[in-house]
C-alpha cells in the first residue's frame, strides 16, 4: 500500500487516496462496511474518489462475506458469491431459478427476473443439484437459526447424461448483526463437490470461516478458518445428496467443537502463559517493600543494581 | 478525528499498523493527535551500553532515536536529545528496577520500560510499558503453531496538590493482546484485540509516587485482563454459539451474559 513519503507535506495522489479507501473498505468486519464507508468518505473528502473506491471495494467485500439479500418479491434470499455471478451485478438464485440485479453499495436487490434456460443446468444435472439442495436445506435449518444455503453448478451444467464429470459448490452463510450491542459475526461455509465419472467418486473439499467482532470500548476480533477433504461414492441423486450432506454435517459439527475447545483452553493455556492472574506468591505485589523481594529472589544480580 | 478513531475500532487489530500509517498520510496535520491516541504493539531495541533490551514508544523518541531507560542514552546516538531532570531521572531509575520485578512476577519473562518527563504544571508524566511474547517457539514437530503477545501501555499524569500532601493521578491504560493457534484439526484460530481504560485517583503521597502508581497499574492490569478474558473473548464466543447453537441445548455459553 502506498505510504506517505518523508518529504513532509507532499499531498497524496488521487490514486493513493483511492487505494487507501479501498483498503479500509476491504478490511471492514462483516456487517460494518457501511460504518467504515461513512468514516472513510469523511476522511477522503472527495466524493468522486470515494465513489470510485466504493465501486471497487463493495462488490469484493460483499462476495467475500457471502452477503445475503432478500429478493424484491420476498420469494427468498440470494447469496452474493462469485459462484453465482451471472453478469455484472447479476446473481443467480438457483432454488427459485431467478436472477437478481444488485446494487452493491446500497446492499439491496434492485431487480429480479426469471433465469433463462441457458443460465440453468440441464435436467440431468438439475436432478442432482435439486436433491442436494433439499437435503442441505434441511440440515441448515436445524443447525443455523439464521443460515441460508444455495447449491450452484459450477462446471458441466449442460451435461445431459452420465459419462461426464461435473462440479457443484454449496454455500452456507449465516450472519448476526447487533450494532447496538457492539457485536457482529458470521459463519461462511463453501463446499465443493467434484463428481468424477471415471472413478465413480465424489471428491469433497470444504472451507469454513468464522468471524466475530466485539467493540464496546475496545476492538476484539475472532478470525478462524479451516479446510476439509473427504469423498463418497457417486450414486443416485438422492443417495448422493444424503451422503454429501452427512459429510458436511459431520465436518461442520467437528469444527464447531474444536472452536469451543480452543475457547475453553484459553484461560489456562495461552492466556496464563502471557500474564498470570496473580504472582506465584498468590498475593498482590508489595510495592512498598520490594527490597525484600529482590533479596529473596536474587533479582539484584540480574538488575545490576548499582545505586 | 472521530472518524479516524472509529475506523481504528473496526479494522482487524493485527492490521492496526497499516491502518495508522494510512491515517497519518491522509491527515498529516493531525499526526500528533493520532500518534498519542492510537497505540500500536511495542517495538524492542537493544541498549548496547548496558546490554539490555528496552521498549520504543512516542514518549522516549526524539527524531529517529529512542532513549533507553537503563543507560539514559539515545540509540542511535543523538546530540542534545531531551533528558529528564536529575531528580526525575532518579525516580525513573527506581521505577524501572521495581517495575521489572513486577513484570517478572506477573509475566515470568517479558520486557519492561518506564519513561518519565516533566510537564508544564509542576507535575510529571510517567509511562510504564510491558511487552510479553508468549510464542511457543514457532511450529513444533506436528506443525502446530501457538503464538501470543501482550503489550501494555500505561500513561500516568501526576499533579501534586498545592499543599504537597496529596497528588492527583490520571491513568490511561491500553492493552493489546493477540492469540493465534494453527494445527491440522482446528485449522487457523486467531483472537486479537485491544482495550483502553482510564482511572483517576487522588492519593496521599505518604508512601511515595511509585507505590501509588504501581498499585493503580496493578489494579488496572488485573481488571483489563479479566475483562479481556471474560467479556471480550466471551462475547466473540457467544456470537459463534448464536450463529450455530450447540446441539441439545447444552449450555456452553457464558451464563448471565447479556443476550445478543
Amino acid at each position: 500500500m502506498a505510504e506517505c513519503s518523508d518529504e513532509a507535506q507532499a499531498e497524496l495522489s488521487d490514486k493513493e487516496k483511492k487505494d487507501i479507501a479501498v483498503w479500509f473498505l476491504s478490511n471492514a468486519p462483516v456487517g460494518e462496511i457501511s460504518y467504515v464507508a461513512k468514516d472513510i468518505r469523511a476522511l477522503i473528502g472527495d466524493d468522486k474518489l470515494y465513489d470510485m473506491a466504493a465501486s471497487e471495494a463493495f462488490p469484493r467485500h460483499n462476495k467475500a462475506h457471502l452477503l445475503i439479500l432478500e429478493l424484491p418479491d420476498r420469494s427468498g434470499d440470494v447469496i452474493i458469491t462469485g459462484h453465482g455471478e451471472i453478469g455484472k451485478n447479476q446473481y443467480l438464485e438457483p432454488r427459485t431459478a431467478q436472477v437478481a440485479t444488485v446494487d452493491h453499495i446500497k446492499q439491496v436487490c434492485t431487480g429480479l427476473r426469471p433465469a433463462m434456460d441457458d443460465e440453468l443446468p440441464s435436467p440431468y444435472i438439475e436432478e442432482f443439484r435439486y436433491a442436494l439442495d433439499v437435503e442441505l436445506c434441511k440440515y441448515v435449518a436445524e443447525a443455523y437459526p439464521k443460515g441460508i444455503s444455495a447449491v450452484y453448478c459450477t462446471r458441466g451444467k449442460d451435461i445431459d447424461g452420465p459419462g461426464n464429470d461435473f462440479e457443484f459448490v454449496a454455500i452456507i452463510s449465516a450472519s448476526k448483526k447487533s450494532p447496538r450491542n457492539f457485536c457482529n459475526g458470521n459463519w461462511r461455509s463453501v463446499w465443493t463437490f467434484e463428481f468424477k465419472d471415471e472413478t465413480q467418486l465424489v471428491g469433497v473439499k470444504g472451507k469454513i470461516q468464522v468471524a466475530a467482532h466485539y467493540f464496546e470500548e475496545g476492538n476484539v476480533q475472532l478470525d478462524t478458518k479451516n479446510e476439509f477433504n473427504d469423498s463418497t461414492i457417486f450414486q443416485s441423486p438422492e443417495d448422493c445428496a444424503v451422503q454429501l450432506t452427512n459429510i458436511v454435517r459431520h465436518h461442520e459439527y467437528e469444527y464447531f467443537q474444536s472452536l469451543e475447545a480452543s475457547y475453553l483452553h484459553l484461560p489456562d493455556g495461552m492466556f496464563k502463559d502471557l500474564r498470570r492472574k496473580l504472582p506465584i506468591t498468590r498475593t498482590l505485589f508489595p510495592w512498598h517493600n520490594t527490597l525484600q523481594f529482590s533479596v529473596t529472589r536474587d533479582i539484584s544480580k540480574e538488575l545490576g543494581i548499582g545505586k | 478525528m472521530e472518524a479516524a478513531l472509529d475506523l481504528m475500532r473496526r479494522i482487524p487489530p493485527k492490521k492496526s499498523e497499516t491502518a495508522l500509517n494510512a491515517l497519518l498520510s491522509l491527515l498529516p496535520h493531525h499526526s500528533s493527535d493520532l500518534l498519542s491516541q492510537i497505540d500500536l504493539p511495542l517495538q524492542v531495541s537493544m541498549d548496547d551500553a548496558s546490554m539490555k533490551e528496552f521498549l520504543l514508544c512516542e514518549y522516549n523518541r526524539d527524531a529517529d532515536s529512542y532513549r533507553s531507560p537503563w543507560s539514559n542514552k539515545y540509540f542511535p546516538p543523538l546530540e542534545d536529545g531531551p533528558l529528564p531532570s536529575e531528580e526525575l531521572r532518579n525516580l525513573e531509575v527506581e521505577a524501572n528496577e521495581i517495575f521489572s520485578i513486577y513484570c517478572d512476577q506477573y509475566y515470568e519473562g517479558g520486557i519492561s520500560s518506564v519513561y518519565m518527563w516533566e510537564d508544564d504544571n509542576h507535575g510529571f508524566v510517567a509511562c510504564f510499558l510491558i511487552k510479553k511474547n508468549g510464542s511457543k517457539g514457532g511450529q513444533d514437530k506436528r506443525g502446530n503453531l501457538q503464538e501470543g503477545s501482550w503489550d501494555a501501555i500505561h500513561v500516568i499524569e501526576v499533579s501534586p496538590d498545592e499543599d504537597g500532601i496529596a497528588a492527583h493521578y490520571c491513568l490511561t491504560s491500553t492493552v493489546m493482546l493477540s492469540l493465534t493457534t494453527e494445527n491440522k484439526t482446528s485449522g487457523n484460530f486467531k483472537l486479537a484485540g485491544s482495550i483502553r481504560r482510564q482511572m483517576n485517583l487522588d492519593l496521599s503521597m505518604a508512601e511515595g509516587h511509585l507505590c501509588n502508581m504501581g498499585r493503580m497499574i496493578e489494579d488496572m492490569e488485573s481488571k483489563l485482563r479479566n475483562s479481556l478474558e471474560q467479556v471480550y473473548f466471551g462475547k466473540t464466543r457467544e456470537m459463534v454459539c448464536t450463529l450455530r447453537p450447540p446441539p441439545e441445548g447444552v449450555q456452553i455459553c457464558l451464563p448471565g451474559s447479556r443476550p445478543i
Side-chain angles (χ1 to χ4, degrees):
Chain A
M1 201 188 66
E3 276 191 346
C4 194
S5 64
D6 271 355
E7 278 89 61
Q9 312 314 99
E11 261 282 308
L12 285 180
S13 72
D14 278 357
K15 177 170 189 310
E16 285 167 330
K17 279 195 201 164
K18 186 197 71 121
D19 286 345
I20 289 179
V22 168
W23 186 86
F24 273 105
L25 289 169
S26 308
N27 279 291
V30 60
E32 295 181 36
I33 193 170
S34 49
Y35 299 94
V36 171
K38 198 166 127 225
D39 291 333
I40 200 66
R41 190 190 193 130
L43 290 175
I44 293 282
D46 180 339
D47 278 358
K48 206 178 52 138
L49 276 183
Y50 165 75
D51 286 337
M52 275 170 59
S55 54
E56 197 182 309
F58 268 84
R60 254 195 282 164
H61 189 267
N62 292 341
K63 279 189 264 185
H65 290 278
L66 300 178
L67 181 68
I68 298 170
L69 293 178
E70 200 183 0
L71 293 174
D73 64 356
R74 299 185 182 231
S75 58
D77 302 280
V78 63
I79 302 181
I80 304 303
T81 164
H83 299 289
E85 194 167 29
I86 299 261
K88 189 164 180 206
N89 299 331
Q90 300 207 317
Y91 294 87
L92 174 68
E93 202 301 283
R95 193 170 301 131
T96 58
Q98 298 181 96
V99 175
T101 309
V102 162
D103 179 330
H104 279 287
I105 296 180
K106 297 206 177 92
Q107 298 188 317
V108 287
C109 285
T110 54
L112 189 63
R113 63 162 172 84
M116 299 193 287
D117 282 343
D118 62 0
E119 289 167 336
L120 295 171
S122 70
Y124 172 70
I125 296 288
E126 177 62 15
E127 234 191 297
F128 283 89
R129 195 206 69 76
Y130 176 77
L132 182 56
D133 191 40
V134 164
E135 281 302 310
L136 263 182
C137 244
K138 280 193 249 169
Y139 160 65
V140 170
E142 8 163 291
Y144 301 91
K146 293 207 161 209
I148 302 285
S149 67
V151 180
Y152 303 90
C153 177
T154 46
R155 201 163 40 97
K157 74 174 185 21
D158 298 319
I159 289 171
D160 50 16
N164 287 296
D165 297 344
F166 55 95
E167 184 183 276
F168 288 163
V169 169
I171 303 226
I172 303 176
S173 174
S175 73
K176 175 84 190 177
K177 293 180 219 174
S178 287
R180 270 184 304 170
N181 284 337
F182 304 98
C183 204
N184 294 306
N186 79 351
W187 175 298
R188 289 166 271 167
S189 302
V190 179
W191 291 92
T192 305
F193 305 107
E194 289 168 16
F195 292 76
K196 292 184 251 205
D197 181 71
E198 199 184 316
T199 51
Q200 285 294 297
L201 286 176
V202 185
V204 179
K205 287 201 211 131
K207 181 167 165 198
I208 303 181
Q209 284 177 276
V210 185
H213 180 209
Y214 180 60
F215 50 102
E216 183 167 18
E217 290 193 314
N219 177 7
V220 172
Q221 303 203 12
L222 169 73
D223 173 21
T224 74
K225 59 175 179 262
N226 204 0
E227 293 184 3
F228 309 90
N229 280 299
D230 211 328
S231 64
T232 187
I233 309 171
F234 194 153
Q235 300 161 302
S236 71
E238 290 72 27
D239 289 335
C240 269
V242 168
Q243 277 301 86
L244 291 173
T245 305
N246 279 340
I247 289 178
V248 169
R249 177 184 288 118
H250 166 76
H251 285 289
E252 292 200 342
Y253 179 67
E254 277 207 345
Y255 185 56
F256 174 75
Q257 297 283 77
S258 80
L259 285 179
E260 274 297 293
S262 293
Y263 268 112
L264 282 173
H265 177 66
L266 272 183
D268 297 320
M270 299 194 67
F271 224 131
K272 191 152 165 250
D273 281 342
L274 287 178
R275 185 187 189 277
R276 301 176 60 93
K277 272 202 171 134
L278 274 181
I280 248 174
T281 56
R282 300 205 194 198
T283 57
L284 293 178
F285 190 73
W287 293 97
H288 54 282
N289 198 9
T290 45
L291 193 54
Q292 186 183 44
F293 247 126
S294 58
V295 166
T296 44
R297 294 213 43 190
D298 226 19
I299 297 276
S300 47
K301 261 195 252 158
E302 268 185 63
L303 290 185
I305 293 180
K307 276 217 262 202
Chain B
M1 267 302 288
E2 222 181 274
L5 293 178
D6 186 67
L7 279 177
M8 290 308 296
R9 278 197 312 156
R10 298 187 189 269
I11 296 298
K14 289 207 148 208
K15 299 194 182 173
S16 36
E17 190 172 351
T18 316
L20 179 57
N21 284 334
L23 289 174
L24 285 170
S25 60
L26 274 181
L27 307 170
H29 305 295
H30 290 268
S31 57
S32 58
D33 276 335
L34 285 170
L35 287 170
S36 65
Q37 294 200 48
I38 296 173
D39 293 304
L40 290 182
L42 300 165
Q43 292 189 309
V44 185
S45 196
M46 178 60 98
D47 174 342
D48 300 317
S50 48
M51 291 315 291
K52 288 174 89 162
E53 290 181 302
F54 66 104
L55 297 169
L56 311 182
C57 68
E58 277 307 290
Y59 307 109
N60 64 327
R61 180 180 78 85
D62 193 56
D64 292 322
S65 294
Y66 292 87
R67 180 172 69 90
S68 156
W70 313 114
S71 61
N72 204 22
K73 294 202 181 96
Y74 276 85
F75 295 88
L78 192 67
E79 254 183 55
D80 301 330
L83 298 174
S85 68
E86 195 182 320
E87 194 190 328
L88 199 56
R89 172 65 189 153
N90 287 337
L91 187 61
E92 193 185 74
V93 168
E94 196 186 342
N96 273 288
E97 282 167 6
I98 294 179
F99 201 56
S100 77
I101 301 177
Y102 166 86
C103 183
D104 207 59
Q105 289 285 294
Y106 274 101
Y107 294 85
E108 298 176 321
I111 304 173
S112 68
S113 297
V114 183
Y115 302 106
M116 299 190 183
W117 64 97
E118 281 92 352
D119 76 10
D120 304 324
N121 305 327
H122 310 292
F124 65 95
V125 186
C127 128
F128 292 72
L129 309 172
I130 290 187
K131 185 176 186 78
K132 171 79 192 278
N133 189 331
S135 302
K136 302 249 184 202
Q139 285 191 318
D140 67 19
K141 289 193 287 269
R142 288 173 294 171
N144 294 342
L145 179 71
Q146 254 197 357
E147 275 183 352
S149 68
W150 168 294
D151 289 71
I153 300 178
H154 305 280
V155 180
I156 310 190
E157 287 165 28
V158 184
S159 328
D161 288 348
E162 275 169 14
D163 54 12
I165 298 180
H168 182 84
Y169 299 85
C170 173
L171 167 65
T172 305
S173 298
T174 306
V175 170
M176 288 164 280
L177 181 52
S178 159
L179 298 166
T180 303
T181 59
E182 192 170 326
N183 58 50
K184 282 216 150 57
T185 36
S186 38
N188 192 296
F189 179 97
K190 279 190 261 196
L191 201 44
S194 74
I195 56 178
R196 184 182 250 231
R197 292 280 156 77
Q198 252 198 2
M199 192 195 281
N200 276 286
L201 283 179
D202 289 288
L203 299 168
S204 139
M205 297 201 295
E207 285 182 295
H209 287 304
L210 272 186
C211 223
N212 292 340
M213 295 193 289
R215 288 203 186 109
M216 279 179 87
I217 290 176
E218 184 175 23
D219 190 31
M220 177 67 97
E221 282 201 338
S222 294
K223 290 199 168 93
L224 291 180
R225 186 200 185 281
N226 285 339
S227 221
L228 272 170
E229 189 183 330
Q230 285 158 16
V231 180
Y232 286 79
F233 290 175
K235 287 277 179 195
T236 57
R237 179 185 179 187
E238 211 179 293
M239 171 58 81
V240 177
C241 289
T242 305
L243 290 169
R244 201 204 151 98
E248 294 142 315
V250 174
Q251 216 18 281
I252 298 182
C253 301
L254 295 176
S257 50
R258 252 188 310 159
I260 289 185

